[in-house]
Amino acid sequence: MAVSVLTENKEKFEEFKKVIEEYKGKEGPLMPILQKAQEIFGCLSLDVQNYIAEELNIPITDVYGVATFYAQFTLKPKGKYKIGVCLGTACYVKGSQKVLDKLQEILNIKVGDTTDDGKFTLEATRCLGACGLAPVMMINDHVYGRLKPEDVEGIIAKYRDE
Amino acid sequence: MEMVKVTIDGIQVEVPKGSTVLEAARLANIDIPTLCYLKGINEIGACRMCVVEVKGARALQAACVYPVSDGMEIRTNTPAVREARRVNLELILSNHDRSCLTCVRNQNCELQELAQKLGVNKIRFEGERIDYPIDDFSPAIVRDPNKCILCRRCVSVCRNVQGIGVIGVSERGFDTIVSPVFGMSLNDVPCIYCGQCIEACPVGALREKDDTERIWDALNNPDLHVVVQTAPAVRVALGEEFGMEMGTIVKGKMVAALRRLGFDKVFDTDFGADLTIMEEGTELLNRIKNGGKLPLITSCSPGWVKYCEHYFPEFLDNLSTCKSPHQMLGAMIKSYYAEKNGIDPSKIFVVSVMPCTAKKFEVTRPELRATGYPDVDAVLTTRELARMIKQAGIDFVNLPDEEFDPFFGDSTGAGVIFGATGGVMEAALRTVAEIATGKPLDNVEIMEVRGLEGVKEAEISLGDITIKAAVAHGTANAKALLEKVKSGEKEYHFIEIMGCPGGCVNGGGQPIVKAKDRMDVDSRQVRAAAIYREDRNLPLRKSHENPSIKRLYEEYLGHPNSHKAHQLLHTHYVPRKKY
Ligand code: SF4
Ligand code: SF4
Ligand code: SF4
Ligand code: FES
Ligand code: FES
């Protein structure tokens, strides 16, 4: 992981430790701890979830299960621009994986990750309902269709400079 | 035991109070279909394949969790029940990757069997499907979420039986998935590759990394001298893959099959086990005598070793430095055997047939290359060997019995019992007791360390010292035991730990026992009984009496824990992170 959400800010970490102490040993501590963690850190990153699991002595999959079940939680601080490349069947067949690979290369992040400057978050999505335009990607609310891998560089450059 | 009377489809049965409808139905010889239910492991009533009508109840009830009560009337074959089950199954099938023909579980799949049994001849709902990537990055376990039916059997086994919990249920609704956190590969999380999840999975969503192609290639390569060795637990389980009764010992047929597959030599990992006892027994006595780190903990189970590295690194100095038996034998084949037969070790390909998936990871460890080449080149599970035998068109059941090749095929009963929980401890004590006291044991069978209790204890007096020993199997039991040792509540000299519940006989590479059969038989017990039978059949039952072991020390290694033995037969461990 690029940065540790948990420990990059000492005050936040101290505050969170107090939260854990407060709820540890109480009935059903996970939900309130996750809510506080989200408040404090802005997201429930892997290191935050791992810390909670260790402190509560439960498997991390229990924490993750709850964190992904409720829409109120986010796992990563999202970038300013959310790029979603469709890997639905139609897009996949038309080569959207290549587009995605190109984006990973240009942005130097993997699917699900956010660039270190906080600008871009790259995601693979299910069918976006625009199969006629396959392969399709979205940047925030804007749809880009009939993409070729070589188109991607130019599109990203526009957002980079904004 | 208090009994209650219930009527199922008009048949009256008397069953113990507290039984479920499913259990009661079995006593009435009525088969209720199940999918998520796995006795003692996953009893959560999630899939609703087992619904039945209970008189007086408003809705259909899940038989696997619904307790019977006196006078209860149950119907299992009404139109409502049949339709509910079928709809359920069709929904599951509608977003299942139904590629049965090329699936590892073809003809051994609980979902496939149900579809046939329930007479599903079309699927009325053609659902949208998420196309998930297959996770095959680990050297041992492959996850294919496209085949997962979300029954959670693997989740329960990993979390509760193994005390690990690296796979779990996440997301919701249509997106629900069983996987490691953050979509990671099993390769990147602290999975110990025990394969217990594979044993629990009703379908082809979890499987071993298949190495059969690599083995075929090696066998067809005229430049390679291809040697195979087989673990003790394989010979008491392989027959199941060919429809033979559980607990049948098929040692002779297995050896014959391996020869027919084209292996140049067929050796016995039991020899490696005898060698392990010589080295580990000596290590134990030395640690006791010289004030070394105690308790000494066994290191033959690579699942357990990886568990220790991730979860209890503070115990790494307690782990025996002994390599596991097949690694020891591999190292001997590439050194002693290569020298003696004038074969270049780079031209020797060693295959281990193991009841274990974690061994597929173990052989990739960079420490385990005593001669500069991997001690063992590839691992086949019991299931994979069965597949190769079938591919070769060998009529396994009617094969004659054949013997292992001499020397590295020579072994004792002590080597055989490594396959069951407590076996390494018993084998070690058989030898250590004689070395320490100079007197033969009256009774070589040490019953305290046998059986399926989670943690077993024994005290064995060796002249002036009494060895306190403990045995744990399955990592949740190991965890409980280690926490007591850590807190000082318990003290031992010697601990045996096996990663899998029941030990290797129930390893993650063994034939899969269907949920339905698991209601009646405990494979851990039946296969272990065969192991102990085999031990009793053998003329020699103590490792130090193995004449080939004696010769190996005389001709090559010198004495146990010698410098040369250390170079070839011992190893070290590394702490590993969790996330
Ligand atoms: S898991 Fe079962 S039903 Fe699914 S493809 Fe494999 S054999 Fe067929
Ligand atoms: S191999 Fe073992 S540790 Fe890994 S997921 Fe399966 S049960 Fe859990
Ligand atoms: S992987 Fe297998 S055992 Fe686990 S939930 Fe899916 S189908 Fe069930
Ligand atoms: S498959 Fe990409 S929009 Fe439908
Ligand atoms: S609910 Fe009974 S088997 Fe799944």
Side-chain angles (χ1 to χ4, degrees), chain B residues 320-351:
Chain B
S320 163
T321 58
C322 288
K323 290 181 184 175
S324 68
H326 83 117
Q327 296 285 159
M328 282 202 181
L329 183 50
M332 284 299 104
I333 290 168
K334 294 210 179 168
S335 58
Y336 173 77
Y337 173 86
E339 286 166 37
K340 213 162 158 130
N341 294 285
I343 309 173
D344 178 351
S346 73
K347 296 278 182 288
I348 301 180
F349 193 88
V350 178
V351 177

Side-chain angles (χ1 to χ4, degrees), chain B residues 212-252:
Chain B
T212 55
E213 278 310 317
R214 271 180 72 209
I215 313 298
W216 284 123
D217 286 349
L219 287 169
N220 287 319
N221 182 340
D223 296 334
L224 288 180
H225 182 73
V226 188
V227 175
V228 68
Q229 55 169 317
T230 63
V234 177
R235 69 205 63 186
V236 298
L238 180 62
E240 293 167 38
E241 292 281 344
F242 300 93
M244 297 166 86
E245 200 188 325
M246 185 183 285
T248 310
I249 301 169
V250 295
K251 179 168 73 175

Side-chain angles (χ1 to χ4, degrees), chain B residues 62 73 99 102 142 159 165 168 189 225 242 295 304 348 357 375 399 421 436 498 508 516 538 563:
Chain B
E73 281 177 47
S99 49
T102 49
V142 178
R159 185 185 193 283
V189 299
H225 182 73
F242 300 93
W304 146 243
I348 301 180
T357 42
D375 296 339
L399 282 175
T421 163
M498 291 294 153
K516 192 175 156 199
L538 290 173
H563 183 65

Side-chain angles (χ1 to χ4, degrees), chain A residues 125-143:
Chain A
T125 72
R126 296 197 278 120
C127 176
L128 294 167
C131 312
L133 296 175
V136 168
M137 89 174 166
M138 285 187 79
I139 299 187
N140 289 352
D141 292 330
H142 196 97
V143 179

Side-chain angles (χ1 to χ4, degrees), chain A residues 54 60-62 64 68-69, chain B residues 159 165 170-172 182 578:
Chain A
E54 293 281 329
I60 190 173
T61 42
D62 286 11
Y64 185 74
T68 55
F69 190 83
Chain B
R159 185 185 193 283
S170 57
E171 307 293 342
R172 65 191 297 175
F182 286 85
K578 285 194 225 168

